[in-house]
Amino acid sequence: MASSTKYVFVTGGVLSGLGKGITAASIANLLKARGLSVNLQKCDPYLNVDAGLLNPREHGECFVTRDGAETDLDLGHYERFIDQELTQISSLMSGRVLLKVIQDERDGKYEGKSVQIIPQVTSTIQDYIAEAGAGHDVHIVEIGGTVGDYESLSFIEAIREFSMRVGRENCLYVHLVYLPYLGASQEIKTKPAQNSVRELRGLGIAPDVLMARSEAPANESVKQKLSLFCGVSEDAIALLPNARSIYDVPLTLEDSGITDVIVDRLGLTAKTTDLTAWRTMVTRATTTFDKTVTVGIVAKYMDNADTYLSVFEALKAAAWWNDVNIDLKWVDAAELGESNNVAAELAKYDGVVVPGGFGSRGVEGKIQAAQHALTNKLPYLGLCYGLHMAVIAAARLKGLTKANTTEVDPDTPDPIIATMAGQEGKQSTGGTMRLGDYTCDLVAGSLAAKLYGTTQIVERHRHRYECNADYVDQYESWGIRAVGTNPETKLVEVIEAIDHPFFLASQFHPELKGRPTAAHPMFDGFVKAIINK
């Protein structure tokens, strides 16, 4: 079957964590810079239906799309690299595929045929890929996991079959491998890469493009060896040593000539690449400025920086667009809650951020951080749970000493934060939250409205608990005010302190719409407040 859409499949070998997501996003960035319409999709081998219940310590943040899909963090990379909002269709997990197959079988759609991995499961995967690619010049699909993993086999087989479905000339396979360096012999070894390509070939896929990651730069002779033993032409091999910034990767690929190879092999008609704005951003991202600001991230998921990846990226972008370096420091919320001197613990920071989260661990530390910021005029940015903590902090400072969220204390006499209507009894289940885009009306003249430059915004949500409307009229007596509400439900979306240089918190997650090429208004305002304090 002929296809008007071209497909690029990105697989990985040797070991995990090489950066398939960054690679896929970089390819999309370069093709879009040539005037092509692109879309991206992550195919994940986990048996979960979506990423909503995955542990952030192990898997990193749950990235939410504008239509409310809970997805893998790679979709955040995709959006930041192509400055394009994605949807549920860009995230596909094995659990969703199997659920669809089983439901189709129950509904009699297979007309009594035996249901098997091949062809029913692999065909369903292909249907999802074709649906996501429809209407675009190029659709880029990242296959999660590492070639050789049992979990990924159905996806690998599906993309092999897909070339027969749409024509081999419409598919291009990119394989990302690792080149280890042996200090004893002082050489980069290609054997693991060779073995990975051999394994991929054994599964029926011959890579068209090879991308080789390494800790240190590899010389051109490595390309010759990889070409000889992997059967990939030298011009289709890109060497990717560690970059100064992840945003540098598209530039490395463009300079290697790989974009030309992809365009030529897929028979695409493309414009000359325009990376002017991207290069300007990368220059800022890799510049060491004269001034450094130090920000404390008061959180409990500190095992993995990816847990708050979008928050970190939004903060870094705000810093480099304001000509400062930013030093992000973890502040253990649980330890802070047990500290006898919160002021001394937070004195080393120019500002604090309380990001999203769930559960009771570390709550008291977050509340104390908000109280300290409120009373000491320390710039404070609260994101989702950070808004809850800020409101509770303000209430407690004005005498409601047992004020709390019912998420932590169901029996609190002052449920400042409570379960949203219709969700009672479902607090431990997935799929019951306010997710995705919601409109927010901002009060004219408020700090939030000034930062956004408008009084109506749309931001993404991921939460189950809300500011209790019964207490909103008391906010001003606590020293805060609600300056953003949902026009339909009147739920509180944004609060800010009345007499404070910068104490701002949102029910939504502004970091999810952050972009490296332009600082998000809330993060930009936060960094500016630190600089000007």
Side-chain angles (χ1 to χ4, degrees):
M1 182 181 71
S3 173
S4 59
T5 301
K6 306 293 185 177
Y7 296 86
V8 176
F9 297 102
V10 180
T11 57
V14 183
L15 45 82
S16 61
L18 289 181
K20 292 190 303 299
I22 299 297
T23 300
S26 296
I27 293 171
N29 174 293
L30 295 171
L31 294 177
K32 188 171 182 179
R34 293 203 175 194
L36 296 166
S37 167
V38 301
N39 195 27
L40 291 116
Q41 185 176 35
K42 173 72 179 286
C43 291
D44 232 320
Y46 298 120
L47 292 179
N48 303 71
V49 175
D50 60 35
L53 296 178
L54 291 177
N55 190 327
R57 283 198 183 111
E58 181 181 352
H59 300 280
E61 74 175 2
C62 174
F63 188 84
V64 179
T65 57
R66 63 182 173 85
D67 59 344
E70 295 177 286
T71 74
D72 180 81
L73 61 81
D74 275 323
L75 267 76
H77 287 312
Y78 299 166
E79 287 204 3
R80 286 186 288 273
F81 273 66
I82 64 173
D83 190 17
Q84 186 173 307
E85 291 191 290
L86 304 178
T87 63
Q88 167 71 74
I89 205 170
S90 288
S91 178
L92 182 63
M93 287 190 166
S94 285
R96 187 172 162 211
V97 174
L98 297 178
L99 196 64
K100 175 72 164 57
V101 170
I102 291 169
Q103 189 59 57
D104 284 350
E105 188 273 334
R106 293 291 82 191
D107 291 343
K109 292 184 179 179
Y110 296 120
E111 300 179 341
K113 294 178 182 176
S114 299
V115 179
Q116 300 173 282
I117 298 296
I118 305 171
Q120 281 81 13
V121 170
T122 53
S123 293
T124 300
I125 291 171
Q126 291 173 53
D127 290 343
Y128 277 119
I129 291 173
E131 182 185 3
H136 297 278
D137 296 322
V138 185
H139 183 48
I140 300 158
V141 183
E142 175 194 351
I143 306 299
T146 305
V147 169
D149 294 345
Y150 286 115
E151 294 91 342
S152 301
L153 288 176
S154 58
F155 283 110
I156 297 295
E157 173 60 18
I159 64 173
R160 182 195 71 81
E161 295 173 11
F162 197 79
S163 68
M164 295 183 285
R165 174 171 173 166
V166 300
R168 182 63 176 88
E169 70 281 5
N170 295 314
C171 295
L172 183 132
Y173 297 95
V174 177
H175 192 49
L176 182 67
V177 293
Y178 181 62
L179 303 176
Y181 176 79
L182 291 187
S185 58
Q186 297 185 342
E187 62 178 334
I188 284 179
K189 306 299 289 185
T190 63
K191 186 62 72 175
Q194 295 175 39
N195 290 340
S196 179
V197 172
R198 185 179 300 116
E199 187 157 17
L200 185 61
R201 284 178 174 274
L203 296 172
I205 295 175
D208 300 292
V209 173
L210 199 60
M211 298 195 181
R213 286 276 290 109
S214 61
E215 298 296 311
N219 58 45
E220 289 298 308
S221 65
V222 169
K223 269 191 179 184
Q224 297 170 6
K225 194 170 185 180
L226 286 172
S227 177
L228 178 64
F229 288 99
C230 297
V232 179
S233 61
E234 285 187 46
D235 67 335
I237 298 175
L239 301 178
L240 296 173
N242 283 354
R244 300 168 297 171
S245 162
I246 58 172
Y247 302 117
D248 220 358
V249 177
L251 303 183
T252 301
L253 289 180
E254 178 65 16
D255 294 342
S256 74
I258 285 296
T259 321
D260 291 327
V261 171
I262 294 173
V263 168
D264 291 343
R265 299 218 176 170
L266 288 176
L268 293 163
T269 301
K271 301 176 183 177
T272 303
T273 309
D274 182 4
L275 292 171
T276 305
W278 193 264
R279 290 185 187 277
T280 298
M281 178 272 293
V282 171
T283 297
R284 283 185 169 273
T286 55
T287 294
T288 301
F289 299 99
D290 294 333
K291 182 178 176 63
T292 298
V293 298
T294 304
V295 173
I297 311 295
V298 184
K300 63 178 181 177
Y301 302 122
M302 300 188 298
D303 308 69
N304 184 349
D306 285 351
T307 304
Y308 304 103
L309 180 62
S310 291
V311 175
F312 278 38
E313 293 304 312
L315 284 167
K316 288 189 284 188
W320 68 57
W321 285 111
N322 279 288
D323 300 324
V324 294
N325 311 307
I326 191 164
D327 188 9
L328 301 173
K329 298 288 190 183
W330 290 116
V331 180
D332 190 314
E335 290 184 4
L336 190 66
E338 298 173 358
S339 173
N340 294 320
N341 196 341
V342 172
E345 295 290 334
L346 297 180
K348 63 191 80 168
Y349 307 113
D350 299 311
V352 294
V353 174
V354 177
F358 295 92
S360 60
R361 188 170 67 84
V363 160
E364 290 304 318
K366 295 176 182 180
I367 293 171
Q368 289 183 48
Q371 288 179 326
H372 175 82
L374 192 56
T375 56
N376 291 276
K377 312 286 189 193
L378 182 68
Y380 174 93
L381 182 61
L383 310 172
C384 194
Y385 213 31
L387 175 138
H388 297 175
M389 301 299 102
V391 176
I392 293 169
R396 288 187 182 182
L397 284 171
K398 293 301 180 179
L400 279 68
T401 56
K402 293 185 178 181
N404 216 323
T405 166
T406 55
E407 179 177 2
V408 173
D409 181 7
D411 300 317
T412 175
D414 287 301
I416 305 299
I417 308 297
T419 310
M420 55 193 278
Q423 299 302 328
E424 296 86 352
K426 301 179 182 178
Q427 288 86 338
S428 62
T429 62
T432 62
M433 294 184 284
R434 189 148 68 107
L435 291 162
D437 277 358
Y438 284 86
T439 301
C440 170
D441 288 341
L442 298 174
V443 173
S446 65
L447 171 62
K450 290 175 182 176
L451 293 177
Y452 277 95
T454 182
T455 56
Q456 189 171 81
I457 60 173
V458 176
E459 291 279 6
R460 298 183 202 171
H461 297 63
R462 184 182 185 243
H463 64 98
R464 185 175 292 112
Y465 294 81
E466 304 278 358
C467 291
N468 190 335
D470 294 340
Y471 289 85
V472 174
D473 60 358
Q474 299 181 43
Y475 281 11
E476 294 206 16
S477 68
W478 302 345
I480 62 174
R481 61 182 168 218
V483 297
T485 55
N486 180 276
E488 296 177 357
T489 63
K490 305 306 177 185
L491 292 169
V492 174
E493 296 279 13
V494 183
I495 66 101
E496 61 187 48
I498 293 172
D499 183 22
H500 197 290
F502 193 97
F503 189 94
L504 187 65
S506 65
Q507 182 62 85
F508 47 78
H509 288 268
E511 69 273 14
L512 298 177
K513 294 181 75 171
R515 299 288 186 262
T517 48
H520 185 283
M522 287 185 68
F523 291 90
D524 183 57
F526 176 65
V527 171
K528 277 185 167 66
I530 290 175
I531 295 170
N532 297 328
K533 73 172 184 176

